[in-house]
Amino acid sequence: MKIEKLCDELNTILQSIIDNESKIDLTILNIHTDYRLSAKNLCRYLILRSFDLTKYHANLSDYGVSSLGTSEGYVYSNLYSVVRNLKLIQGLPIDEKSNIEIIGYERSKELIKKNANHLFNEGSRNQFTEIMVTLPNEAAEDKSIIEQMVESGMEIARINLSHGDIAMWTKMVQFINEIKMETQYKLKIYMDLSGPKLRTSQIQIKEKKGKKGKFKTGIPIRVGEHIILTKRVTLGKKSKYNKKGKQVSKAEIGVLLPEIIDDVKINDEVLFDDGMIKSIVISKTDEDVELLITHCYKPKLSSQKGINLPDTKLNLPALTEKDIENLPFVCKNADIVGYSFVRTGSDVQYLYEQLNLNNAKDIGIVFKIENKEAFENLPFILLEGMKRDKIGVMIARGDLAVEIGFERSSEVQNEILWFCEAAHIPVIWATQVLENLAKTGIPTRAEISDVVQGMQAECIMLNKGPYINDAIKMLKNILIRMEAHSFKKKNSLRSLNIAKNAVNLIIGDLDQSNLKTKM
């Protein structure tokens, strides 16, 4: 591409940002003061990523100019400098900068670090990226478990409110506070609200004759089988087949949240057990949904297994009655609360209303991006979230990979990192980090590489396991060694559908005709 065309097209994109600055100002009216500039930068990034930038990279590099691959945190400043340098190379006059607020590269780094420190831990540490660890249930009985984790390098203790009760969590909090007093260590407490539980209900099927009093807690499943997912109270039924292998009756399984039966539609995909069993809705009534099993990576479907509905818009509240009941305890004892079922900006508003009722103005909030709908609404979740300070995002890679497909999981987690960097919002890298090491004592090469990629986030979360302290120590050593080498990374920049959709809703249709006619 000739330099004249390159300069002209990039200037058109720059002018699109400038022309929409007044609309951006309206969008950020209610943003918290600490995030006002960051929200502006996010909106500018959405505009930038509405264009396909891939065709510019090689040409910009040939001219020794920034390829825009690290522009997330300082969009306008970077793009302006690129256009300015291209004009200088051509000997053209330079336009003065528009009278809009600017964030440069150094300022963007400062904002990310400031916001991460504000949410997580202030003070000097050996490494910038925080280490969060999930406490096992045994930590409520044995203080030394937490002490050893702290000695190994844990900086944030995670309490999962999906397990246990207030008595158990209270004991954990007590031990943590004692350790903080004894060591003067700035350990923080993170509590995850459980959210609605999309799971199969109890399955209890009598064994064959000769096994009195014994029950099976799962049903066999095969590809091509038809099963019924029902609101009705049931302990489950197996499908029956004739001697020729033809199905003559359908298996039946209940759900813990009957409301999902109302929301699913014909042709929606229904996934069970972390995506190990895949099905599609082929018919439904007021009480039942008939599913066709399309893939089976497990021979049976058991009680209390997770259900994912990637195609379904659920009309479930993001906070359950149990969550609201637990909020006073959380607001009193936690430094950070994890919002497990957030899907839209309205969900963020609802949580903020509940936190205000509990006078919890200083608690940190982490939005867990764990389903397809949350990912697609991420710009709106961030903009609504930035109406308070001390916020972050968790990439819950397990559920997210199930919903969006494992082949897209790396792509999607990178997009989340980009949007959060544009908003200067810290990220938690979660799910299966050093899992093999924590469970068996032996790390795999792949999970070491995963940790290095996770360093693009501001916090990495480990789950429990018998070798968890070995995992914490290894993670800490990797972070100390690798942080000297990099901060974030460069990326190719094709246009993003999420950015296009968000821009259309926030700003309106962008005029890209100038670029299209010149391609």
Side-chain angles (χ1 to χ4, degrees):
M1 184 183 292
K2 291 184 178 180
I3 191 169
E4 294 87 358
K5 182 179 180 182
L6 181 64
C7 183
D8 195 20
E9 291 193 9
L10 291 176
N11 190 60
T12 298
I13 298 173
L14 178 64
Q15 193 60 46
S16 180
I17 293 174
I18 295 169
D19 292 344
N20 286 291
E21 194 69 11
S22 59
K23 293 180 181 178
I24 292 174
D25 286 335
L26 290 175
T27 300
I28 68 163
L29 276 177
N30 297 316
I31 297 295
H32 190 280
T33 305
D34 289 352
Y35 282 111
R36 197 177 60 80
L37 269 177
S38 300
K40 275 197 168 189
N41 190 71
L42 173 60
C43 292
R44 293 167 185 168
Y45 185 68
L46 292 171
I47 295 173
L48 179 71
R49 295 308 306 273
S50 298
F51 296 88
D52 182 5
L53 306 175
T54 55
K55 59 184 177 291
Y56 303 125
H57 290 320
N59 295 280
L60 288 170
S61 295
D62 284 343
Y63 290 113
V65 177
S66 168
S67 63
L68 303 173
T70 56
S71 63
E72 287 85 0
Y74 56 113
V75 174
Y76 177 82
S77 176
N78 186 230
L79 185 56
Y80 173 83
S81 296
V82 167
V83 172
R84 176 180 180 275
N85 289 336
L86 290 173
K87 288 184 176 180
L88 285 173
I89 292 170
Q90 299 175 80
L92 297 175
I94 307 301
D95 298 330
E96 291 188 11
K97 284 186 181 180
S98 298
N99 188 26
I100 65 175
E101 293 174 289
I102 295 174
I103 299 172
Y105 173 66
E106 286 299 327
R107 178 63 175 148
S108 74
K109 284 179 64 176
E110 289 172 6
L111 285 170
I112 291 172
K113 290 183 176 182
K114 178 179 79 73
N115 293 337
N117 286 334
H118 194 40
L119 177 64
F120 300 131
N121 281 318
E122 304 277 358
S124 59
R125 303 186 302 280
N126 290 323
Q127 85 287 337
F128 171 64
T129 304
E130 294 281 332
I131 299 175
M132 179 191 293
V133 187
T134 302
L135 299 184
N137 291 345
E138 295 78 12
E141 303 295 331
D142 187 350
K143 179 179 173 181
S144 68
I145 291 175
I146 305 175
E147 288 176 322
Q148 289 169 20
M149 288 180 173
V150 172
E151 289 171 5
S152 298
M154 176 178 73
E155 294 157 305
I156 304 170
R158 175 178 177 255
I159 299 175
N160 187 354
L161 303 189
S162 294
H163 305 289
D165 53 30
I166 284 185
M168 176 187 290
W169 309 327
T170 299
K171 198 66 179 173
M172 290 177 178
V173 170
Q174 179 187 329
F175 286 155
I176 291 168
N177 288 333
E178 288 174 3
I179 292 167
K180 288 168 67 176
M181 289 290 292
E182 293 161 3
T183 63
Q184 298 300 303
Y185 194 80
K186 294 181 178 180
L187 184 64
K188 287 208 170 182
I189 298 173
Y190 173 106
M191 291 186 185
D192 257 331
L193 298 170
S194 58
K197 294 182 180 179
L198 276 62
R199 295 184 181 276
T200 57
S201 61
Q202 182 66 32
I203 297 173
Q204 196 175 71
I205 300 173
K206 285 186 178 181
E207 290 271 21
K208 293 179 180 178
K209 292 179 181 179
K211 297 182 179 179
K212 291 183 179 180
K214 291 192 175 181
F215 296 89
K216 289 184 177 179
T217 58
I219 60 171
I221 293 289
R222 65 177 77 173
V223 172
E225 182 177 353
H226 291 232
I227 68 171
I228 300 298
L229 199 64
T230 182
K231 289 182 180 181
R232 292 176 284 107
V233 177
T234 177
L235 291 176
K237 293 179 184 176
K238 296 189 296 183
S239 294
K240 291 183 181 179
Y241 293 83
N242 62 22
K243 292 181 179 180
K244 294 182 180 180
K246 182 179 179 181
Q247 187 175 358
V248 294
S249 72
K250 298 164 188 171
E252 181 179 274
I253 304 169
V255 292
L256 292 182
L257 286 174
E259 297 93 329
I260 69 174
I261 301 296
D262 298 325
D263 293 335
V264 294
K265 295 178 175 59
I266 293 173
N267 293 325
D268 279 3
E269 191 172 36
V270 180
L271 310 175
F272 298 95
D273 198 356
D274 292 331
M276 299 303 287
I277 297 169
K278 298 184 178 182
S279 67
I280 190 168
V281 178
I282 58 173
S283 69
K284 66 174 292 188
T285 66
D286 289 343
E287 291 192 323
D288 301 336
V289 169
E290 183 176 352
L291 306 174
L292 171 66
I293 304 298
T294 57
H295 295 82
C296 274
Y297 303 104
K298 280 190 174 181
K300 71 174 185 177
L301 177 56
S302 301
S303 306
Q304 305 291 322
K305 291 300 180 182
I307 301 174
N308 289 90
L309 304 164
D311 304 324
T312 305
K313 298 291 185 183
L314 292 170
N315 294 305
L316 293 171
L319 291 175
T320 65
E321 291 182 8
K322 188 68 175 176
D323 292 329
I324 293 172
E325 183 182 317
N326 287 332
L327 263 181
F329 173 81
V330 173
C331 294
K332 180 181 178 182
N333 294 285
D335 300 293
I336 306 167
V337 58
Y339 197 11
S340 291
F341 203 68
V342 60
R343 293 161 295 167
T344 66
S346 297
D347 291 337
V348 177
Q349 290 177 359
Y350 185 46
L351 174 66
Y352 283 3
E353 289 168 6
Q354 294 300 319
L355 292 176
N356 288 337
L357 290 175
N358 285 277
N359 198 29
K361 296 182 179 179
D362 197 45
I363 195 168
I365 301 134
V366 167
F367 305 110
K368 294 176 66 176
I369 308 303
E370 55 187 348
N371 55 59
K372 186 178 179 181
E373 190 176 0
F375 168 64
E376 291 175 344
N377 286 317
L378 181 59
F380 307 103
I381 290 171
L382 296 180
L383 287 168
E384 193 65 39
M386 285 191 280
K387 291 180 179 179
R388 285 176 59 125
D389 65 345
K390 295 176 72 171
I391 64 170
V393 163
M394 177 184 285
I395 309 177
R397 298 183 299 161
D399 282 321
L400 190 57
V402 171
E403 292 227 351
I404 53 96
F406 290 98
E407 67 276 5
R408 284 196 66 208
S409 57
S410 291
E411 171 193 0
V412 165
Q413 68 192 22
N414 278 331
E415 288 187 27
I416 295 171
L417 285 166
W418 299 337
F419 283 118
C420 289
E421 185 177 355
H424 310 123
I425 289 174
V427 174
I428 301 171
W429 186 265
T431 313
Q432 295 183 319
V433 180
L434 293 178
E435 183 177 40
N436 204 65
L437 173 56
K439 289 184 175 179
T440 70
I442 303 172
T444 65
R445 295 183 186 91
E447 62 187 16
I448 299 299
S449 298
D450 182 56
V451 167
V452 175
Q453 188 180 8
M455 285 178 55
Q456 294 177 75
E458 285 67 43
C459 177
I460 296 178
M461 189 186 94
L462 299 175
N463 266 321
K464 47 192 182 287
Y467 299 93
I468 187 61
N469 288 300
D470 292 337
I472 298 170
K473 290 173 185 175
M474 178 171 283
L475 175 57
K476 184 173 183 177
N477 287 335
I478 293 171
L479 293 175
I480 292 171
R481 292 172 64 87
M482 292 303 298
E483 282 186 357
H485 294 284
S486 63
F487 182 82
K488 303 294 184 182
K489 62 178 289 189
K490 287 190 176 184
N491 297 286
S492 179
L493 300 174
R494 65 173 176 78
S495 61
L496 298 178
N497 287 332
I498 288 180
K500 289 180 179 179
N501 294 337
V503 167
N504 286 339
L505 287 170
I506 295 170
I507 290 169
D509 291 333
L510 287 180
D511 182 8
Q512 298 192 14
S513 58
N514 288 339
L515 293 182
K516 290 177 182 176
T517 56
K518 296 171 184 174
M519 287 181 189

